[in-house]
């Protein structure tokens, strides 16, 4: 049986740092939100080496993965997630990108693979698979 999942930004970065790909689903996707997050990296890096390293991560992600868009279904899911978080007393502002990634994952009925599982732990109807970050 083939597994599929949506990798959050932390996992894409961890892959560049030596994360074992065997820990990931057979069919891995990223979101356009992750591409947006990764696109900031080269622009804010303090050194040429840092800029180049972050640019490589961005380009590798673009080459290796299909980026699922934030579409109309994801927008509806985002509304449901944001409302549930607000009712629980939490805010979506602190983790806006994570909430958007979760909305895309639930719209495509995919689990999220993340090195930061606590970022997603209060999001209803989301399956989260924790991936250890390489040391």
């Amino acid at each position: 049986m083939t597994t599929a999942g949506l990798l959050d930004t932390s996992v894409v970065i961890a892959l560049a740092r030596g994360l074992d790909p065997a820990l990931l689903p057979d069919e891995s996707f990223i979101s356009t939100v992750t591409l947006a997050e990764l696109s900031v990296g080269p622009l804010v890096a303090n050194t040429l080496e840092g800029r180049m390293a972050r640019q490589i991560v961005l380009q590798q992600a673009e080459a290796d993965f299909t980026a699922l868009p934030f579409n109309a279904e994801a927008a509806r899911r985002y509304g449901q997630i944001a409302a549930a978080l607000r009712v629980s007393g939490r805010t979506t502002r602190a983790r806006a990108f994570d909430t958007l990634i979760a909305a895309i994952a639930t719209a495509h009925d995919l689990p999220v693979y993340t090195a930061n599982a606590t970022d997603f732990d209060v999001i209803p109807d989301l399956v989260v698979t924790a991936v250890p970050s390489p040391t």
Side-chain angles (χ1 to χ4, degrees), residues 21 23 34-35 42 45-46 50 54-55 66-67 72-73 79 85 102-103 108 111 122 130:
L23 298 171
T34 288
L35 285 181
N46 294 326
R54 291 176 182 194
Q55 185 67 35
T66 298
E73 179 60 24
L85 291 173
H108 290 276
V122 298

Side-chain angles (χ1 to χ4, degrees), residues 10-100:
S10 68
V11 171
V12 175
I13 293 168
L15 279 168
R17 294 181 178 160
L19 175 69
D20 181 359
L23 298 171
L24 303 178
D26 301 320
E27 191 172 10
S28 295
F29 299 93
I30 61 172
S31 70
T32 51
V33 175
T34 288
L35 285 181
E37 287 186 288
L38 292 174
S39 294
V40 173
L43 301 173
V44 299
N46 294 326
T47 65
L48 178 60
E49 293 80 16
R51 192 170 14 266
M52 289 172 36
R54 291 176 182 194
Q55 185 67 35
I56 289 169
V57 172
L58 170 61
Q59 290 176 313
Q60 196 68 55
E62 289 174 326
D64 290 348
F65 303 108
T66 298
L68 302 177
F70 186 80
N71 59 16
E73 179 60 24
R76 286 188 288 279
R77 298 292 178 107
Y78 177 85
Q80 295 167 351
I81 292 167
L85 291 173
R86 184 175 292 170
V87 167
S88 74
R90 304 213 180 195
T91 178
T92 57
R93 277 182 250 128
R95 292 282 176 206
F97 291 134
D98 296 331
T99 307
L100 292 168

